Amino acid sequence: MKPAAFEYHAPRTLEEALGLLHEHQDEAKVLAGGQSLVPAMNFRLARPAVLVDIAHVPGLDRIETNDPASVTVGARVRHLDLEHNTIAGPLGSLFAMTGRWVGHYPIRVRGTFGGSLAHADPAAEWCALASALDAELHCRSTSGSRTVGARDFFEQMAFTTCLEPDELLVGVRLPRLSDSCGVGMAEFARRWGDFAIVLAVTAVERDGDSIARARIALGGVAGGPVRASNAEAALAGRPATAGTVAEAAAAAAEEVDPTGDIHGSADYRRDLVRAMVTRALDQALA
Amino acid sequence: MRWTGRSLRRFEDPALVRGLGRFVADVADQHRGTLHAAFVRSPVPAGEIRSIEAPPGAPVLTAESFPGIRTMCARLDRPDFVALETPVLASDAVRHPGEPVALVVAGSRAEAEDLAEQVVVDIEATRPVLDATAATDPDAPTVHAGLDMPMGNNVVLDARFATEGLEAAFEEADEIVALDIRAHRQNALPIEARGALAAHDRGTGRTTLTAANQMPHMLRTALADILDIGEAELRVVTPEVGGAFGQKMCVPREYVALVAAARLLGATIAWIEDRSENLLASWHSRDHSYLLRGAFNRSGMLLGLDADIVCNIGAYSNYPVTFGVEPLMAMAELPGPYRLSQYRVRSRAVTTNMCPIAPYRGVSRPVLTLAMERLMDTAARRLDLDPVEIRRANLVSEFPYSMPTGLPVDPGSYVETLDAAVEALDLEGFRRRQQQAAAEGRYLGVGFSVFGERTGYGTPAFAARAMEITPGYETVQLEMNPSGDVTARIGASPHGQGLATALSQLLADELGVEPRQVAVVHGDTDTTPYGWGTFASRSMVIAGGAAKLAAERLAAQLREIAAHHLEASPDDIRLEDGSAVVAGTSVGVTLPEIARIAHHSSHLLPAPMEPGLSVSATYDPGGTFSNACHAAVVEVDPDTGHVRLERFVVIADAGLEVNPMIVEGQIHGGVTQGIANALYEELVTDDDGNLLTASLMDFLPPTVCEVPLIEVTHVQTITDASITGAKGVGEGGAIGAPAAVLNAISDALSPLGIEVDEMPATPSRVRELIRRAQSTTTGGPT
């Protein structure tokens, strides 16, 4: 369980990092926290010829909160910093309640937000959160920069994004949530800290006793994070009752098309979708 | 004041917790010029090897490199047994995924892995057979083609036993309970995987193997036999060993190949197994199925028991205990502590294209206890009896008792521990809480498990299995040094149990010294007496017994010298607080003074005593049963199938406890592995034999987050079957826990009519049972 030989670079500037990615293209992999990439290399499942370590690239580890309408999270912000964030309002709460589900403590100390999104594990908490909130992902390369919505960033194939080989994810912009918005996060894993079998992230805007708008993103049910659109539709404009939640959870279980693996069949995952959507909505409406 | 019975802190721990323990990988690091090995392994479960091609000049060793090497083959001398031979490296056929085909050597493990990737093994894959029952089909592939299989395709052991009145008992029964018990495949998962360092000294011609192992003397003999060299040319050392649980008991092919390679190359070579290799191809465990029928009368008495047991033993035998250990133990011990006169059993070992099986903590008993305890709970529910009452009605309470198979059960506390568990749980209070929870749609349950753990058995017990290599006895050599300190050299090979501390306590009491004055030397074939090592919950009983016998001899010699010196009778001399004193007086001589005389003024010894203070003793007992009752309280989440353990109670009877804290530690570790067996750990392969749980991302040992506080209460029933009064306790935790957990889940889900007979009871399996039950009872989807 030792990695195949590789070349290692530790650029000191963004330009240098992008130059290296441009030079080595498919041969290169970006190393951030290394919590997924390094094990994959030790198993020789990943065999990059070149590692570009962005640990020393300045400006990627900040959470920008100056904008009243949005928050921008740098790609190298650690999971732990999001778990213990100081972002005001429901968005901060959602980061906190989601962050505690990411791996184990030592993983959260080193692993990064951007790394998780770029790795695009179908069961990753941050991918579902980005999907639920329609995050905008800022990507840079030597030839310029672009901003991609979460819906387009994640391909519906595991570990696959729209990032070009020479592109680096530098930051993620998320809309602030209004104070009337409730948030929820529910996850089922075999053990504390394991990858989710199924998870649900919810954000529900209330209008008095009824639901104005609901966002529901699921992990573990497809190649990437998915929005439970039918379930969202089943909630919009409806009274915030247990019956509505049950209908939405049933709709979510119906609309997903999961595949089975050793931790559970497709039917089992549907059962979990119903349970996790129910629990995450209950939290959001509490 | 006696040292025995005190929870002394373990002498072993300060080094371990400060990172000063030296494990094989540490020894390899400290050795100058160590080379590193990696194995090229079969990617398929079955096939014919056509060719092995290595880069020109690369140090790649195959079976051809070792022309004189023998196969590994341990035998049972019984007509229902087919011996399987294991080549050290596969040369013509491969029979399980991960089977070693070649060994490569390089300057570092990373380079060795690079080189191993460049070795091309051309294998013509053939159809594998993975399931034991499927393997017995005459049309199934034969794993060892060409071998005579008179008992059926791939059947390598078919043992049977029956009493005469079995049929009558079933005819007489009011209720017949039939169960299909499945225990899936596991890995013992020591924190330190296997590993060895073979150092060949070209000057002396000797090879030293430093290895993570439980049986150093047996390993030396096996290496000599297989490599056809003298044992004088070999030394086996076991440094600190990071857990073993049976996985480091049997002789690994890799260690043999490593020694052969070191001798061939005149080099020092390390092989430190990584976790993927360990999960794939070390030794697996469990993979048993039981078809069980119990005949009960209306009041819950067990009248007869009929069992058909199948053990999937994988592609080869282990060495030296053979694959017979699982089916034969299951056959002999299935009835457990329940009175039974009519018993019929068929127990088979079936070879398949899976990784071979080795004993794992508890061996067959976690599964046979699961079978019996599920039988009791299911019968209780069918007969509308309380699960505690049906056990009380059937448990053995008069001793000595003989199982239907003739196995003697010495005094224990089966009913008493059950009663104590009921009280510790506040069972009545729990039943009220369970009802309240049910009203809220929550599923709480309680499960009991009562069992005996046969421990400390010597040669006669192993001989009953007709083993060609029959383990059993232990020898302890004791020497009092001139300063009055004591060195105990033992054939047992502790690897984390704290045996050195416990033996020191026992010896201190016998010799009147302090435990700190005792140095226990183990794990080096050059310096310790031949012995069988540490496994089967035996060391405190057998090595402890030998230590006591040796101490009695040494004490007699000390008394004789003291008597001579003090002009008293040896019978009047007492050894206490570091002195030999004439009873009832203050006249005495210190032990260091006696030791000086024996070593440095031996002309003053009584004639014809020889100089020095060195004795040896061997102990070989028939065996004893420790016992316990486990009780688990769980809550099942009906939506996800998740099982949360709320409480875990153990009432344990290990006889005389030399160090209660160590006993408790053994129970904690065992219960945790039992919980792993019940809920979490499973090696899963796909239909092509590919291991899908090849890392700790998918093979899931429970952590501190999943295991509740384990509440242990101690009971001590003293037995004559062990001269120290101690009974073994190493495996009990793992034996009792699975049944308690599965019974608790079944109790929780009893409103839905669910009985859980398959382990691990993973969330998806539990949810599947709930989904099926709900669709039957409500007629609709849930």
Side-chain angles (χ1 to χ4, degrees), chain B residues 433-500:
Chain B
R433 199 157 62 82
Q434 185 181 30
Q435 284 191 345
Q436 288 159 5
E440 298 162 15
R442 292 168 55 208
Y443 294 85
L444 269 57
V446 64
F448 294 91
S449 166
V450 184
F451 64 94
E453 176 190 1
R454 189 186 185 199
T455 67
Y457 40 101
T459 311
F462 285 104
R465 287 184 202 149
M467 298 171 74
E468 185 182 65
I469 301 167
T470 313
Y473 58 86
E474 280 303 337
T475 301
V476 170
Q477 293 172 349
L478 277 187
E479 183 172 28
M480 184 171 276
N481 314 313
S483 61
D485 285 356
V486 176
T487 303
R489 297 185 176 86
I490 65 174
S493 194
H495 42 275
Q497 291 87 353
L499 185 67

Coordinates of all heavy atoms in Angstrom, one line a residue, chain B residues 433-500:
Chain B
R433 N -40.5 -0.1 30.4 CA -40.0 1.0 29.5 C -40.2 0.5 28.1 O -40.5 1.4 27.2 CB -38.5 1.1 29.8 CG -37.9 2.4 29.4 CD -36.6 2.8 30.2 NE -35.6 1.8 30.0 CZ -34.7 1.7 29.0 NH1 -34.8 2.6 28.0 NH2 -33.8 0.8 29.0
Q434 N -40.0 -0.7 27.8 CA -40.2 -1.3 26.5 C -41.6 -1.0 26.0 O -41.8 -0.6 24.8 CB -39.9 -2.8 26.5 CG -39.9 -3.4 25.1 CD -39.6 -4.9 25.2 OE1 -39.9 -5.6 26.2 NE2 -38.9 -5.5 24.2
Q435 N -42.6 -1.2 26.9 CA -44.0 -1.1 26.5 C -44.3 0.4 26.3 O -45.0 0.7 25.3 CB -44.9 -1.6 27.6 CG -45.0 -3.1 27.6 CD -46.0 -3.6 28.5 OE1 -46.6 -2.9 29.4 NE2 -46.4 -4.9 28.4
Q436 N -43.8 1.3 27.1 CA -44.0 2.7 26.9 C -43.4 3.1 25.6 O -44.0 3.9 24.8 CB -43.3 3.5 28.0 CG -44.1 3.4 29.4 CD -43.2 3.8 30.5 OE1 -42.0 4.2 30.4 NE2 -43.7 3.6 31.7
A437 N -42.2 2.6 25.3 CA -41.6 3.0 24.0 C -42.4 2.5 22.8 O -42.6 3.2 21.8 CB -40.1 2.4 24.0
A438 N -42.9 1.3 23.0 CA -43.7 0.7 21.9 C -44.9 1.6 21.6 O -45.3 1.8 20.4 CB -44.2 -0.7 22.3
A439 N -45.5 2.2 22.6 CA -46.6 3.1 22.4 C -46.2 4.3 21.6 O -47.1 5.0 21.0 CB -47.2 3.5 23.8
E440 N -44.9 4.7 21.7 CA -44.4 5.8 20.9 C -43.9 5.4 19.5 O -43.3 6.1 18.8 CB -43.3 6.5 21.6 CG -43.7 7.1 23.0 CD -42.5 7.4 23.8 OE1 -41.3 7.4 23.3 OE2 -42.7 7.6 25.1
G441 N -44.1 4.1 19.2 CA -43.6 3.6 17.9 C -42.1 3.3 17.9 O -41.5 3.2 16.8
R442 N -41.6 3.1 19.1 CA -40.1 2.8 19.2 C -40.0 1.3 19.5 O -40.8 0.7 20.2 CB -39.5 3.7 20.2 CG -39.4 5.1 19.8 CD -39.0 6.0 21.0 NE -37.8 5.6 21.6 CZ -37.4 5.8 22.8 NH1 -38.2 6.3 23.7 NH2 -36.3 5.3 23.3
Y443 N -38.8 0.7 19.1 CA -38.6 -0.7 19.2 C -37.4 -0.9 20.1 O -36.3 -0.8 19.7 CB -38.4 -1.3 17.9 CG -39.7 -1.3 17.0 CD1 -40.0 -0.2 16.2 CD2 -40.5 -2.4 17.0 CE1 -41.1 -0.2 15.5 CE2 -41.7 -2.4 16.2 CZ -42.0 -1.3 15.5 OH -43.1 -1.2 14.7
L444 N -37.7 -1.3 21.4 CA -36.6 -1.6 22.3 C -36.6 -3.1 22.5 O -37.7 -3.7 22.5 CB -36.8 -0.9 23.7 CG -36.1 0.5 23.9 CD1 -36.6 1.5 22.8 CD2 -36.5 1.0 25.2
G445 N -35.4 -3.7 22.8 CA -35.4 -5.1 23.0 C -34.3 -5.5 24.0 O -33.3 -4.8 24.1
V446 N -34.4 -6.7 24.6 CA -33.4 -7.2 25.5 C -33.1 -8.6 25.0 O -34.0 -9.3 24.6 CB -33.8 -7.2 26.9 CG1 -35.0 -8.1 27.2 CG2 -32.6 -7.6 27.9
G447 N -31.8 -9.0 25.1 CA -31.4 -10.3 24.7 C -30.4 -10.9 25.7 O -29.5 -10.2 26.1
F448 N -30.5 -12.2 25.9 CA -29.6 -12.9 26.8 C -28.8 -13.9 26.1 O -29.2 -14.4 25.0 CB -30.4 -13.6 28.0 CG -31.1 -12.7 28.9 CD1 -32.4 -12.3 28.6 CD2 -30.5 -12.2 30.0 CE1 -33.1 -11.4 29.5 CE2 -31.1 -11.3 30.8 CZ -32.4 -10.9 30.6
S449 N -27.7 -14.3 26.7 CA -26.8 -15.3 26.1 C -26.1 -15.9 27.2 O -25.3 -15.3 28.0 CB -25.9 -14.6 25.1 OG -24.8 -15.5 24.7
V450 N -26.3 -17.2 27.4 CA -25.7 -18.0 28.5 C -24.8 -19.0 27.8 O -25.2 -19.7 26.9 CB -26.7 -18.7 29.4 CG1 -26.0 -19.4 30.6 CG2 -27.7 -17.7 29.9
F451 N -23.6 -19.1 28.3 CA -22.7 -20.1 27.6 C -21.5 -20.5 28.5 O -21.2 -19.8 29.5 CB -22.1 -19.4 26.3 CG -21.2 -18.2 26.6 CD1 -19.8 -18.4 26.8 CD2 -21.8 -17.0 26.9 CE1 -19.0 -17.3 27.1 CE2 -21.0 -15.9 27.2 CZ -19.6 -16.1 27.3
G452 N -20.9 -21.6 28.1 CA -19.7 -22.1 28.8 C -18.6 -21.9 27.8 O -18.8 -22.1 26.6
E453 N -17.4 -21.6 28.3 CA -16.2 -21.5 27.4 C -15.2 -22.5 27.9 O -14.6 -22.4 28.9 CB -15.7 -20.0 27.6 CG -14.4 -19.8 26.8 CD -13.7 -18.5 27.2 OE1 -14.2 -17.7 28.1 OE2 -12.7 -18.2 26.6
R454 N -15.0 -23.5 27.1 CA -14.1 -24.6 27.4 C -12.7 -24.0 27.2 O -12.3 -23.5 26.1 CB -14.3 -25.7 26.5 CG -13.5 -27.0 26.9 CD -13.7 -28.0 25.8 NE -13.0 -29.2 26.2 CZ -12.7 -30.2 25.3 NH1 -13.0 -30.0 24.0 NH2 -12.2 -31.3 25.6
T455 N -11.9 -24.0 28.3 CA -10.6 -23.3 28.3 C -9.6 -24.2 28.9 O -9.9 -25.2 29.6 CB -10.7 -22.0 29.1 OG1 -10.8 -22.3 30.5 CG2 -11.8 -21.1 28.6
G456 N -8.3 -23.8 28.7 CA -7.2 -24.4 29.4 C -7.2 -25.9 29.2 O -6.8 -26.7 30.1
Y457 N -7.5 -26.4 28.0 CA -7.4 -27.8 27.7 C -6.1 -28.2 27.2 O -5.5 -27.6 26.3 CB -8.6 -28.3 26.9 CG -9.0 -27.5 25.7 CD1 -8.6 -27.8 24.4 CD2 -9.8 -26.4 25.9 CE1 -8.9 -27.1 23.3 CE2 -10.2 -25.6 24.8 CZ -9.8 -26.0 23.5 OH -10.1 -25.2 22.4
G458 N -5.6 -29.4 27.7 CA -4.3 -29.8 27.3 C -4.3 -30.9 26.3 O -5.3 -31.0 25.5
T459 N -3.3 -31.7 26.3 CA -3.1 -32.7 25.2 C -4.3 -33.7 25.1 O -4.6 -34.0 24.0 CB -1.8 -33.5 25.6 OG1 -0.7 -32.6 25.8 CG2 -1.4 -34.4 24.4
P460 N -4.9 -34.2 26.2 CA -5.9 -35.2 26.0 C -7.1 -34.6 25.1 O -7.6 -35.3 24.3 CB -6.4 -35.4 27.4 CG -5.3 -35.0 28.3 CD -4.6 -33.9 27.6
A461 N -7.4 -33.3 25.3 CA -8.5 -32.8 24.6 C -8.2 -32.7 23.1 O -9.0 -33.0 22.2 CB -8.9 -31.4 25.1
F462 N -7.0 -32.2 22.8 CA -6.6 -32.1 21.4 C -6.4 -33.5 20.8 O -6.7 -33.7 19.6 CB -5.3 -31.3 21.3 CG -5.5 -29.8 21.5 CD1 -5.1 -29.2 22.6 CD2 -6.0 -29.1 20.5 CE1 -5.3 -27.8 22.8 CE2 -6.2 -27.7 20.6 CZ -5.8 -27.1 21.8
A463 N -6.0 -34.5 21.6 CA -5.8 -35.8 21.1 C -7.2 -36.4 20.7 O -7.2 -37.2 19.8 CB -5.1 -36.7 22.1
A464 N -8.2 -36.0 21.4 CA -9.6 -36.4 21.0 C -10.0 -36.1 19.6 O -10.8 -36.7 19.0 CB -10.6 -35.9 22.0
R465 N -9.3 -35.0 19.0 CA -9.5 -34.6 17.7 C -8.6 -35.4 16.7 O -8.6 -35.2 15.5 CB -9.3 -33.2 17.4 CG -10.4 -32.3 18.0 CD -10.1 -30.8 17.7 NE -10.8 -30.0 18.7 CZ -10.3 -28.8 19.1 NH1 -9.2 -28.3 18.6 NH2 -11.0 -28.1 19.9
A466 N -7.8 -36.3 17.3 CA -6.9 -37.2 16.5 C -6.0 -36.3 15.6 O -5.8 -36.6 14.4 CB -7.7 -38.1 15.6
M467 N -5.4 -35.3 16.3 CA -4.4 -34.4 15.5 C -3.1 -35.1 15.5 O -2.5 -35.5 16.5 CB -4.3 -33.1 16.3 CG -5.7 -32.4 16.3 SD -5.6 -30.9 17.4 CE -4.6 -29.8 16.4
E468 N -2.5 -35.1 14.3 CA -1.1 -35.6 14.1 C -0.2 -34.8 14.9 O 0.7 -35.3 15.6 CB -0.8 -35.5 12.6 CG 0.6 -36.2 12.3 CD 0.9 -36.0 10.8 OE1 1.1 -34.8 10.3 OE2 0.9 -37.0 10.1
I469 N -0.3 -33.5 14.9 CA 0.4 -32.6 15.8 C -0.5 -32.2 16.9 O -1.5 -31.5 16.7 CB 0.9 -31.3 15.0 CG1 1.7 -31.7 13.8 CG2 1.6 -30.4 15.9 CD1 2.0 -30.6 12.8
T470 N -0.3 -32.7 18.1 CA -1.2 -32.6 19.2 C -0.7 -31.6 20.2 O 0.3 -31.9 21.0 CB -1.4 -34.0 19.9 OG1 -1.7 -34.9 18.9 CG2 -2.6 -33.9 20.9
P471 N -1.2 -30.4 20.3 CA -0.8 -29.4 21.3 C -1.3 -29.8 22.7 O -2.1 -30.7 22.8 CB -1.4 -28.1 20.8 CG -2.1 -28.4 19.5 CD -2.3 -29.9 19.5
G472 N -0.8 -29.0 23.6 CA -1.5 -29.1 24.9 C -0.7 -28.6 26.1 O -1.2 -27.7 26.8
Y473 N 0.4 -29.1 26.4 CA 1.1 -28.9 27.7 C 1.8 -27.5 27.6 O 2.0 -26.9 26.5 CB 2.1 -29.9 28.0 CG 3.2 -30.1 26.9 CD1 4.3 -29.3 26.9 CD2 3.0 -31.0 25.8 CE1 5.3 -29.4 25.9 CE2 3.9 -31.1 24.8 CZ 5.0 -30.3 24.8 OH 6.0 -30.4 23.8
E474 N 2.3 -27.0 28.7 CA 3.2 -25.9 28.8 C 4.2 -26.2 29.8 O 4.0 -26.8 30.9 CB 2.5 -24.6 29.1 CG 1.8 -23.9 28.0 CD 2.6 -23.6 26.8 OE1 3.9 -23.5 26.9 OE2 2.1 -23.5 25.7
T475 N 5.4 -25.6 29.6 CA 6.5 -25.8 30.5 C 7.0 -24.4 31.0 O 7.0 -23.4 30.2 CB 7.7 -26.5 29.8 OG1 7.3 -27.8 29.4 CG2 8.9 -26.7 30.7
V476 N 7.3 -24.3 32.2 CA 7.9 -23.1 32.8 C 9.2 -23.4 33.5 O 9.3 -24.3 34.3 CB 6.9 -22.4 33.8 CG1 7.6 -21.2 34.5 CG2 5.7 -21.9 33.0
Q477 N 10.2 -22.7 33.1 CA 11.5 -22.8 33.8 C 11.7 -21.6 34.7 O 11.5 -20.5 34.3 CB 12.7 -22.8 32.8 CG 12.7 -24.1 31.9 CD 13.7 -24.0 30.8 OE1 14.3 -22.9 30.5 NE2 13.9 -25.1 30.1
L478 N 12.0 -21.9 36.0 CA 12.2 -20.8 37.0 C 13.6 -20.8 37.4 O 14.2 -21.9 37.7 CB 11.3 -21.1 38.2 CG 9.8 -20.6 38.1 CD1 9.2 -20.8 39.5 CD2 9.7 -19.2 37.7
E479 N 14.1 -19.6 37.6 CA 15.5 -19.5 38.1 C 15.5 -18.3 39.1 O 15.0 -17.3 38.8 CB 16.5 -19.3 37.0 CG 17.9 -19.2 37.5 CD 18.9 -19.2 36.4 OE1 18.6 -18.7 35.3 OE2 20.0 -19.7 36.6
M480 N 16.0 -18.6 40.3 CA 16.2 -17.4 41.2 C 17.7 -17.0 41.0 O 18.6 -17.8 41.1 CB 15.9 -17.8 42.7 CG 16.0 -16.6 43.6 SD 15.4 -16.8 45.2 CE 13.7 -16.5 45.1
N481 N 17.8 -15.8 40.7 CA 19.2 -15.2 40.4 C 19.9 -15.0 41.8 O 19.3 -15.0 42.8 CB 19.1 -13.9 39.7 CG 18.1 -14.0 38.5 OD1 18.1 -15.0 37.8 ND2 17.2 -13.1 38.4
P482 N 21.2 -14.8 41.7 CA 21.9 -14.6 43.0 C 21.4 -13.4 43.8 O 21.4 -13.4 45.0 CB 23.4 -14.2 42.5 CG 23.5 -15.0 41.2 CD 22.1 -14.9 40.6
S483 N 20.8 -12.4 43.2 CA 20.2 -11.3 43.9 C 18.9 -11.6 44.5 O 18.3 -10.8 45.2 CB 20.1 -10.1 43.0 OG 19.2 -10.4 42.0
G484 N 18.3 -12.7 44.2 CA 17.0 -13.1 44.8 C 15.8 -12.8 43.9 O 14.7 -13.0 44.2
D485 N 16.1 -12.2 42.7 CA 15.1 -12.0 41.7 C 14.8 -13.3 41.0 O 15.6 -14.2 41.0 CB 15.5 -10.9 40.7 CG 15.4 -9.5 41.3 OD1 14.9 -9.4 42.5 OD2 15.8 -8.5 40.6
V486 N 13.7 -13.3 40.3 CA 13.3 -14.5 39.6 C 13.1 -14.3 38.1 O 12.6 -13.3 37.7 CB 11.9 -15.0 40.2 CG1 11.4 -16.3 39.5 CG2 12.1 -15.3 41.7
T487 N 13.6 -15.3 37.3 CA 13.4 -15.3 35.9 C 12.5 -16.5 35.6 O 12.8 -17.6 36.0 CB 14.7 -15.4 35.1 OG1 15.6 -14.3 35.5 CG2 14.5 -15.3 33.6
A488 N 11.4 -16.2 34.9 CA 10.5 -17.3 34.5 C 10.6 -17.3 33.0 O 10.2 -16.4 32.3 CB 9.1 -17.0 34.9
R489 N 11.0 -18.5 32.4 CA 11.1 -18.7 31.0 C 9.9 -19.6 30.6 O 9.8 -20.7 31.1 CB 12.4 -19.3 30.6 CG 13.6 -18.4 30.9 CD 14.9 -19.0 30.4 NE 16.0 -18.0 30.6 CZ 16.7 -18.0 31.7 NH1 16.4 -18.8 32.7 NH2 17.6 -17.1 31.9
I490 N 9.1 -19.1 29.7 CA 7.8 -19.8 29.4 C 7.7 -20.1 27.9 O 8.2 -19.4 27.1 CB 6.6 -19.0 29.9 CG1 6.4 -17.7 29.1 CG2 6.7 -18.6 31.4 CD1 5.2 -16.9 29.4
G491 N 7.0 -21.2 27.7 CA 6.7 -21.6 26.3 C 5.5 -20.9 25.7 O 5.3 -20.8 24.5
A492 N 4.7 -20.4 26.6 CA 3.5 -19.6 26.2 C 4.0 -18.3 25.5 O 5.2 -17.9 25.8 CB 2.6 -19.3 27.3
S493 N 3.2 -17.7 24.7 CA 3.7 -16.5 23.9 C 2.7 -15.4 24.0 O 2.0 -15.1 23.0 CB 4.0 -17.0 22.5 OG 4.7 -16.0 21.8
P494 N 2.6 -14.7 25.1 CA 1.6 -13.6 25.3 C 1.8 -12.5 24.3 O 3.0 -12.2 23.9 CB 1.8 -13.1 26.7 CG 3.1 -13.6 27.1 CD 3.4 -14.9 26.4
H495 N 0.8 -11.9 23.8 CA 0.9 -10.8 22.8 C -0.2 -9.8 23.1 O -1.0 -9.5 22.2 CB 0.8 -11.4 21.4 CG -0.3 -12.4 21.3 ND1 -0.1 -13.8 21.6 CD2 -1.6 -12.3 21.0 CE1 -1.3 -14.4 21.4 NE2 -2.2 -13.6 21.0
G496 N -0.1 -9.2 24.3 CA -1.1 -8.2 24.7 C -2.0 -8.5 25.8 O -2.7 -7.7 26.3
Q497 N -1.9 -9.8 26.3 CA -2.9 -10.2 27.3 C -2.5 -9.8 28.7 O -3.3 -9.8 29.6 CB -3.0 -11.8 27.3 CG -3.7 -12.4 26.1 CD -2.7 -12.6 24.9 OE1 -1.6 -12.2 24.9 NE2 -3.2 -13.2 23.9
G498 N -1.2 -9.4 28.9 CA -0.8 -9.0 30.3 C -0.4 -10.3 31.1 O -0.4 -10.2 32.3
L499 N 0.0 -11.3 30.4 CA 0.3 -12.6 31.1 C 1.5 -12.4 32.0 O 1.6 -13.0 33.1 CB 0.6 -13.7 30.1 CG 0.8 -15.1 30.7 CD1 -0.5 -15.6 31.4 CD2 1.3 -16.1 29.7
A500 N 2.5 -11.6 31.6 CA 3.7 -11.4 32.4 C 3.3 -10.8 33.8 O 3.9 -11.3 34.8 CB 4.7 -10.5 31.7

